[in-house]
Amino acid sequence: MTTEQKDIQKILPQHVAVVMDGNGRWAKKRFLPRTAGHKAGVKSTRRLVELCSIKGIGALTLFAFSSENWSRPDQEVSSLMSLFLSTLNSELNKLHEQGVRIRFIGDRTRFSEKLQASITAAEKKTEANSKLKLNIAANYGGRWDIVNAARILSRKLVNGDITENQITEQALTRQLCLVDLPEPDLFIRTGGEQRISNFLLWQIAYTELFFTDTLWPEFNDAAFDEALDWYATRQRRFGKTGDQVKGTPGRQTG
Ligand code: FPP
């Protein structure tokens, strides 16, 4: 049976969110600078994007740089920025040909003008693509996302456009990043830590959480399959019939 045939039989997530952790430790184990770990991590990222496309997973959200990552040594931050810029520029055409829509979430105003211009160009070039919605969280924080949404609603309230009763979960959700996508069904964190680290806080309220010791540069096809197999097993625990959970995995409350 081919990989594709096996996947068809599995309940696949529609949206996967990933904290790509462990680049630094991967490098340290090899007596390499941390930046070498990030470079190696790009290869895993590239492959994961490809795998999601092959498997028909519609959305992938990657935590590339958190609001807290600015406090890393200047040299590491600037090397990460260069890596984002060079990867974006070198991969854009291929991703576009593969039907990938790229979007960045987070406060991009702190990035260099050059990086901001590349981000905007990549989003514009790929905006009509629909095979895989790739979201890159950069200078993103889940709390920032929620505060932003709260500010938008409070402005509407002050302007008299809405009443207090109209501040609901749905109204707040509509102001968050990724509002047009199903909430993540599966969250993966590599590198052994079992934390959310201010990633998509609101959006992962009902997401299945998968933690693995695998370091991000070593996250390969087999590691992703392990997470997907685990996810498929989790879905069978809801006590509902297969027909009931099919199509909306990961979104049953409780
Ligand atoms: C966490 O590992 C990783 C990061 C902060 C950067 C993630 C970036 C990439 C994988 C580059 C590819 C991404 C794109 C979008 C081009 P860490 O440095 O915290 O590792 P450690 O916990 O072992 O120190």
Side-chain angles (χ1 to χ4, degrees), residues 85-104:
L85 187 62
S86 61
T87 307
L88 195 56
N89 291 339
S90 64
E91 296 297 313
L92 181 60
N93 285 339
K94 199 166 141 215
L95 291 170
H96 182 50
E97 278 162 25
Q98 289 169 351
V100 177
R101 187 192 77 185
I102 304 170
R103 205 163 51 181
F104 279 72

Side-chain angles (χ1 to χ4, degrees), residues 116-128:
Q116 287 189 53
S118 282
I119 287 173
T120 308
E123 288 179 331
K124 200 156 174 43
K125 188 178 173 101
T126 62
E127 70 188 347

